[in-house]
DNA sequence: CAGTGGTCTAGACCACCCT
DNA sequence: GGGTGGTCTAGACCACTGG
């Protein structure tokens, strides 16, 4: 780390046009990685490391293209990726600037398991219940199955470093009934689905809060009737077919949801 | 409404290629609205109305372009908009399909005030506190101001149809100290900022839960120590300067957060 | 005025999927 | 092999911003 990129106190954007000397000279034109992605990921790394400081302006798109030997649309797409991530801001007639203020990670479409792994925790799972049951009307509707159809019901306790963090309840179509409890204790659910060729592409979530119910307070080690953070999710695969419905509750002192919103 | 677009029970995607007869013949090439946006919004309306049923396949991009007299990149961008919204799914070598399963609204970068207005409620606001105070270290850090700098502190109670929904606490840079309580009771905060030429472009949010504190339970009309849903937000303007920091708590039985996540 | 991003075009080649 | 989306190019015109 060099000098800390402290925010300016005068409200003006700094306009130095800094470019980390030739950090973009190893583009692979033949490999499978798209050029716009190679550019955007190198650019993102330079911003997150502070090599391109907050508030600084980028060169215009054509100039960057000439510098890298790429066309303007390719550069434009690379920049757009970072605008969507909230790292850059574009203004017509002005230029492109690095955002001021600390940058954080985006909430991606990942499972809790992956979230925890990525934050240096060691997640573990206990399968509390694993059974094929007839779907309630709610579950059947969410999964697009006929009422009363068989579904796989899972109830799991997710912990990090042996501290319980969440109670996870899931419902899956019956074709997944052969997913074993042992498998579920070793890997995340989305990881298992992916290895079976089922890629999750879209999910709809609702986040809320309520009192801990029934045995949730005991499982999570919190006060009886204490607050829990809840998340309900329906996940769809490539074809838009509903693959998983779940409602989960989290210990609010150990887990929360972070998002970056970018206005269109 | 025609026949209800009920989900298929056999797990196969329907592949009829339906096109609402010539719904795209009134493109305005000279107006200020981009062509890709005209296409995507008409397409979105057709999908949400059921005119293009769930699971149906679209024509390929070039054919659509010829039909509308537009180039492939323009069509591609229109389709991409709807993919990002979670309405369409694209697969290489296969085609583009309408998602199966009910579609809901996206969480946009809007204020609670706008959210409530859009859902047919009548929001009202009571300003509980309106004062210029020295910033705590946390607030100064979030807003990028020197420690102890003056900030405008707001505490508001937001209700719909006279039922309290949320307690909102905000901190703004001192240049906004002239925003009057009367103004705040008539309009949303983001609306006021916009009318002063301050457009919010990026916000970072953290969502969590905890027990109601102090007088929050009284203000919200819930049990003492009952659960509340919390949201903390830092909002940045065009230039990436922090414009607003707030932490809010919501009655969990009256409000929640919905999101659609799309994997990249 | 010159410079910037926003949009649009008309091609091209490739990787992937199905049959 | 034929069709699809994924990527890339080399131009063009426009709207907006600043001095």
């Amino acid at each position: 780390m060099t000098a800390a990129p402290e925010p300016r106190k005068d409200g003006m954007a700094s306009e130095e046009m800094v470019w980390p000397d030739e950090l973009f000279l190893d583009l692979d034109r033949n490999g499978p990685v798209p050029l716009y992605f190679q550019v955007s990921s190198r650019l993102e790394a330079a911003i997150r490391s502070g090599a391109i400081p907050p508030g600084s302006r980028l060169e215009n798109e054509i100039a960057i293209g000439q510098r890298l030997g790429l066309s303007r649309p390719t550069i434009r797409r690379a920049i757009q990726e970072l605008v969507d991530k909230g790292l850059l801001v574009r203004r017509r007639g002005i230029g492109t600037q690095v955002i001021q203020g600390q940058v954080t990670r985006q909430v991606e479409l990942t499972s809790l398991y992956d979230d925890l792994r990525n934050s240096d925790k060691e997640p573990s799972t206990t399968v509390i219940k694993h059974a094929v049951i007839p779907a309630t009307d709610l579950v059947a509707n969410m999964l697009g199955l006929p009422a009363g159809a068989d579904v796989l019901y899972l109830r799991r306790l997710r912990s990090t470093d042996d501290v319980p963090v969440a109670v996870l309840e899931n419902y899956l179509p019956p074709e997944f009934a052969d997913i074993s409890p042992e498998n579920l204790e070793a890997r995340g659910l989305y990881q298992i689905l992916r290895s079976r060729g089922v890629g999750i592409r879209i999910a709809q979530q609702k986040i809320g809060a309520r009192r801990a119910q029934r045995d949730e307070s005991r499982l999570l080690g919190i006060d009886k009737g204490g607050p829990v953070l809840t998340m309900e999710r329906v996940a769809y695969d490539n074809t838009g077919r509903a693959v998983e419905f779940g409602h989960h509750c989290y210990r609010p002192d150990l887990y929360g949801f972070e998002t970056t919103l970018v206005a269109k």
Side-chain angles (χ1 to χ4, degrees), chain A:
Chain A
M1 278 296 185
T2 60
E6 50 183 336
R8 314 243 322 189
K9 315 230 175 339
D10 54 7
M12 290 297 298
S14 59
E15 305 227 349
E16 328 134 34
M17 199 174 304
V18 192
W19 273 92
D21 298 312
E22 325 309 19
L23 206 52
F24 298 92
L25 290 183
D26 52 346
L27 294 174
D28 178 9
R29 291 192 93 91
N30 298 326
V33 182
L35 291 171
Y36 76 86
F37 186 82
Q38 296 183 45
V39 173
S40 72
S41 52
R42 278 165 180 69
L43 202 46
E44 174 170 3
I47 293 172
R48 293 200 185 273
S49 75
I52 304 180
S56 61
R57 251 182 53 213
L58 265 53
E59 284 185 285
N60 71 64
E61 297 167 343
I62 297 179
I64 298 177
Q66 287 173 343
R67 183 191 291 261
L68 304 185
L70 296 174
S71 70
R72 186 187 169 198
T74 301
I75 299 300
R76 205 174 152 69
R77 172 148 187 197
I79 290 178
Q80 188 60 45
E81 294 275 316
L82 301 188
V83 171
D84 291 341
K85 286 189 177 183
L87 284 169
L88 293 177
V89 177
R90 273 201 284 221
R91 281 180 295 170
R92 172 154 39 180
I94 307 285
T96 305
Q97 278 188 337
V98 179
I99 191 81
Q100 306 194 31
Q102 62 273 43
V103 289
T104 65
R105 263 174 235 288
Q106 181 89 348
V107 170
E108 301 286 349
L109 179 43
T110 56
S111 65
L112 174 59
Y113 189 85
D114 295 333
D115 282 351
L116 295 174
R117 274 190 75 91
N118 290 339
S119 53
D120 299 325
K121 310 283 186 178
E122 194 49 45
S124 64
T125 310
T126 307
V127 175
I128 302 172
K129 182 114 177 148
H130 178 288
V132 175
I133 62 173
T136 64
D137 285 352
L138 171 67
V139 170
N141 185 39
M142 288 297 191
L143 291 181
L145 298 172
D150 279 345
V151 293
L152 173 63
Y153 168 63
L154 296 176
R155 191 159 193 242
R156 296 171 294 162
L157 182 65
R158 175 66 45 83
S159 307
T160 64
D161 304 328
D162 294 325
V163 179
V165 173
V167 177
L168 312 173
E169 290 189 298
N170 293 92
Y171 303 85
L172 292 91
E175 61 183 284
F176 299 110
D178 59 322
I179 297 177
S180 72
E182 295 73 27
N183 208 344
L184 285 163
E185 304 213 330
R187 306 155 73 198
L189 177 57
Y190 279 24
Q191 207 178 331
I192 295 174
L193 291 175
R194 214 176 305 132
S195 72
R196 293 170 61 121
V198 179
I200 302 294
R201 284 286 272 275
I202 298 181
Q204 291 171 3
Q205 300 189 163
K206 295 179 193 175
I207 298 171
R210 58 169 167 78
R211 288 187 186 281
Q213 298 171 334
R214 304 185 300 268
D215 50 353
E216 290 166 353
S217 46
R218 178 178 54 77
L219 288 168
L220 291 176
I222 60 178
D223 292 341
K224 198 177 159 195
V228 290
L229 185 62
T230 65
M231 194 261 281
E232 192 178 290
R233 169 188 276 182
V234 188
Y236 303 87
D237 70 1
N238 290 333
T239 74
R241 191 177 64 108
V243 167
E244 178 243 346
F245 168 61
H247 42 87
H248 311 319
C249 64
Y250 306 82
R251 265 186 69 163
D253 55 337
L254 296 179
Y255 196 74
F257 297 95
E258 299 190 11
T259 321
T260 299
L261 297 177
V262 180
K264 325 207 81 174

